[in-house]
Amino acid sequence: MPPRYYSALKTMEQLENVYFPRVSQYRFCQLMIDTLPKLREDIKEISMSDLKDFLESIRKHSDKIGETAMKQAQQQKSFSVILQKQNNARFGKNTHVDNDSILEEKNDIVLKHVLEEEAENEEEVLTVQDLVDFSPVYRCLHIYSALGDEETFENYYRKQRKKQARLVLQPQSSVHETVDGYRRYFTQIVGFFVVEDHILHVTQGLVTRAYTDELWNMALSKIIAVLRAHSSYCTDPDLVLELKNLIVIFADTLQGYGFQVNRLFDLLFEIRDQYNETLLKKWAGIFRDIFEEDNYSPIPIGSEEEYKVVISKFPFQDPDLEKQSFPKKFPMSQSVPLIYIQVKEFIYASLKFSESLHRSSTEIDDMLRKSTNLLLTRILSSCLLNLIRKPHIGLTELVQIIINTTHLEQACKYLEDFITNITNISQETAHTTRLYGLSTFKDARHAAEGEIYTKLNQKIDEFVQLADYDWTMAESDGRASGYLMDLINFLRSIFQVFTHLPTKANTNDYAAMSGKVAQTACMSACQHLSTSLMQMLLDSELKQISMGAVQQFNLDVIQCELFASSEPVPGFQGDTLQLAFIDLRQLLDLFMVWDWSTYLADYGQPASKYLRVNPHTALTLLEKMKDTSKKNNIFAQFRKNDRDRQKLIETVVKQLRGLVTGMSQHM
C-alpha cells in the first residue's frame, strides 16, 4: 500500500480541525465532511487487505526465515566452540607444550576455515528484515492507531497469528521418516517465532513479551508432544542422532531470541534413552554376526606383524606368549578382539548423543558408563547365553567360550580407562557408576559350564544307547563291550581339551576356575555314566539276566573304574572319582561272590562291606535272575546240586523282601 494513505488520513484530520470550520457555510464543505468517514473506511480496508497479504506471505516463507536463523545460530556456535578450544590450548588446559602448539595451530586453521566459509556465504545468510517486508504491518498499525481503533488491529493480528501457529505446529504424518521432514517442521516454527520476536521489538504494543511467552509455552508443549510421539517410531540410531542435532540447533536458535528451551533439553534426555535402545538393538545384531562367524579356535599367528595386529585391537598381555617363537596361538578365538572393538564403537556412538547437551564431563562420563553397562549386561549377556544354547556349539566350543569370556572380563578395566579418556575427566574423579560387566561374563561362564555338563551327559547317553547286551549269555566275552570302550576313549579326548586351559602365574584365578570346571565335568560324567548303567541293569523292561551277563557287565564297570583311577583330570584327592561307581561295584561284588550271608548279617551297620547296596535294588536284580523255564538258571543248578542252597536262596529273597517292607514302613 502506498504510504500516501497515511498522509491522506493526516490531511483529512487537518481539514476537519483547521480548514472546514473556516468554510463551513459553503455547501461543498458539508459534502466533503460527509464523505470523510467513507474514505477512512476505504483506507482501513485497503490497509487490512495488505496486512492479509503480508500474513499469507510470511506463512509461506516461514521455513526460509527459520532456515536462515538456524544457519546463523549454527555458525555462531561453531565459531564459539573453536574459540573455546583455542583458549583452552593457550591457557594451560593441556600440559604438554608441543601438544599445545599443535592444537593451537590446528584450531587456527579451523577458525580460519569457519571465517572463510562465513565470508563466502555472507550474501546468502540474511537477516529477517532482509527476507521480510514488514512495512504493511507498520502502516496498518499506524492507520488503525490514527483512527483510534488500535485494539481491533491488535486483536485481529494476534488471532490470525495464533491460527497460523496451530498450522505450523501440526506436523506431516510422515515427519519421522526422514531428517528433512523434521528439518522442515523446525524451520517453520523458528520462522514463526523469529517474526514475532521482530514484531515485538519494532512495534509498540502490537505484541508483548507476555503474549509471545504464552504463545511459545503453548507451542513448546505441542512440539514436545509431537517429538515424543514421532521419535518413538525411529528405529535407526543415525536418524535419531540427526534428530538430536536438529533439536539442539532449534533450541539454541530460539534461546538466542530469548525463548526458554530447558524443556527441550529435558526431552533430549528422554530421546537419548530411546537412542540407546536403538543402539542396543543394532549392536545385538552385530554381536550375533560376530559369534556366528567365529570358528571357536585359538587365533593362530605366523609373524610379528600378525601378532601386533591382534594386540592393537585387544589389550592382551602375556610375556610367556611373547617369548614363544612363531607360529603360535593366542588363547582366545577371533570373536574376542572383534567384540572388544565393537564395545568401543558403541561407546563412541553413545557419546555422539551426549555432546552439546550442556552437561558436564562427569555427567557425560556417568551416562556413558550406564549405557555401556546396559550393553554388557543386557545385550552381550543375552547373545552369549543364546550362543551357548545353540545345538551346533559342542563341548570344545564351550570350553573356548569359557576362555573367551575370561579374557573379555579382564578387558573391562581397559574399557573403564577408555571412557575416562574420551570424556576427559580427571583420574581423581570418583565414578558413581562403574562397569559391572564382570557379572555378565561370570554368568556366561556358569551357563557354559552347565551346558558342558548337560552336553557331556547327552553324549554319554548316545553311547549307552548303543549298548547291545545279550542278557541271557551263558558266560562273558572276557573283554569289555565295544560301546563302552568307545565312550571311555571319547571322555579321555574331551578331558584332554580341558588340560589345555591356561595355568600360568598371571592367570591363577583362571587356572583355578578351569580346573574346577574340568573336575566338575569329569565327576558329573562319571556319576551320570554310573547312574545310566545302574538304570540299564534295573530297567523294568528287562525281565531276565543270566550270571554270564552279570559277569560281562562287571567287565564294563571295571573299565569305568580304571578310567576313573587313571586321573583323566588332575586335582582329585585319592579315590574320589572311583567312588562314583561304588554303588555298582558293591552290588556286582555281592552277586559275583554270592555273599548274601555277609550282606544280611552286616545290613544297617556303618562298616558293612555292602553298605551302598539297597535291599530293593538287590531284590530287583535277584528277581531278574529267576527263569520260569528253569533252564540255565542259577536256582536250577542249586536245586540239582544242593537243595540246602536253594532253601538259603529262598530265605534270602524272603529276608530281602522283609528289609524292603521295613524300609517302606519307616519312610
Side-chain angles (χ1 to χ4, degrees), residues 528-545:
H528 186 73
L529 176 56
S530 176
T531 301
S532 299
L533 291 173
M534 182 69 83
Q535 288 174 343
M536 189 189 303
L537 207 56
L538 303 177
D539 187 356
S540 60
E541 296 294 317
L542 179 60
K543 304 298 184 184
Q544 180 183 339
I545 302 177

Side-chain angles (χ1 to χ4, degrees), residues 547-590:
M547 182 55 76
V550 170
Q551 292 168 346
Q552 180 63 41
F553 201 81
N554 183 60
L555 290 176
D556 291 346
V557 173
I558 288 172
Q559 287 300 321
C560 294
E561 292 169 317
L562 288 172
F563 168 74
S565 63
S566 68
E567 202 176 22
V569 169
F572 284 108
Q573 298 295 318
D575 59 354
T576 303
L577 202 55
Q578 293 95 300
L579 289 175
F581 300 96
I582 190 68
D583 290 13
L584 273 172
R585 170 48 48 220
Q586 290 189 8
L587 179 67
L588 291 171
D589 281 353
L590 175 60

Side-chain angles (χ1 to χ4, degrees), residues 249-294:
I249 297 167
F250 174 70
D252 287 345
T253 303
L254 287 167
Q255 190 172 39
Y257 284 90
F259 296 100
Q260 292 294 321
V261 295
N262 292 344
R263 288 171 63 193
L264 283 172
F265 283 101
D266 292 339
L267 174 68
L268 280 172
F269 275 89
E270 290 182 33
I271 296 178
R272 183 186 182 279
D273 292 338
Q274 182 196 329
Y275 173 70
N276 276 333
E277 285 299 318
T278 63
L279 286 184
L280 292 172
K281 287 179 184 176
K282 178 179 178 180
W283 258 260
I286 291 172
F287 289 157
R288 282 195 297 268
D289 290 344
I290 290 173
F291 288 139
E292 193 65 36
E293 292 167 9
D294 197 1

Side-chain angles (χ1 to χ4, degrees), residues 194-297:
V194 166
V195 168
E196 289 306 284
D197 180 75
H198 182 77
I199 294 292
L200 171 68
H201 287 93
V202 299
T203 63
Q204 294 296 322
L206 178 55
V207 297
T208 63
R209 174 54 71 185
Y211 162 80
T212 55
D213 285 347
E214 180 189 348
L215 201 57
W216 169 242
N217 287 328
M218 178 274 290
L220 193 54
S221 296
K222 176 67 175 175
I223 292 163
I224 288 172
V226 166
L227 292 176
R228 191 175 280 144
H230 284 269
S231 65
S232 64
Y233 295 118
C234 292
T235 56
D236 179 6
D238 294 333
L239 179 57
V240 181
L241 186 62
E242 289 188 85
L243 170 59
K244 167 255 175 180
N245 292 332
L246 278 175
I247 293 174
V248 169
I249 297 167
F250 174 70
D252 287 345
T253 303
L254 287 167
Q255 190 172 39
Y257 284 90
F259 296 100
Q260 292 294 321
V261 295
N262 292 344
R263 288 171 63 193
L264 283 172
F265 283 101
D266 292 339
L267 174 68
L268 280 172
F269 275 89
E270 290 182 33
I271 296 178
R272 183 186 182 279
D273 292 338
Q274 182 196 329
Y275 173 70
N276 276 333
E277 285 299 318
T278 63
L279 286 184
L280 292 172
K281 287 179 184 176
K282 178 179 178 180
W283 258 260
I286 291 172
F287 289 157
R288 282 195 297 268
D289 290 344
I290 290 173
F291 288 139
E292 193 65 36
E293 292 167 9
D294 197 1
N295 61 7
Y296 297 98
S297 300

Side-chain angles (χ1 to χ4, degrees), residues 471-517:
W471 295 108
T472 60
M473 64 197 315
E475 59 183 27
S476 71
D477 292 341
R479 63 180 184 274
S481 303
Y483 87 91
L484 191 82
M485 296 309 297
D486 290 342
L487 169 55
I488 288 173
N489 289 334
F490 165 76
L491 291 176
R492 287 192 190 282
S493 66
I494 282 299
F495 292 125
Q496 190 66 28
V497 173
F498 282 87
T499 64
H500 293 158
L501 295 172
T503 55
K504 299 181 178 63
N506 64 339
T507 53
N508 276 336
D509 292 342
Y510 182 43
M513 177 277 300
S514 61
K516 172 183 167 295
V517 174

Side-chain angles (χ1 to χ4, degrees), residues 353-370:
F353 198 98
S354 301
E355 293 172 333
S356 305
L357 294 187
H358 306 315
R359 299 288 170 168
S360 68
S361 295
T362 305
E363 286 177 294
I364 293 173
D365 182 89
D366 193 54
M367 286 189 288
L368 283 184
R369 290 172 193 276
K370 285 178 179 176

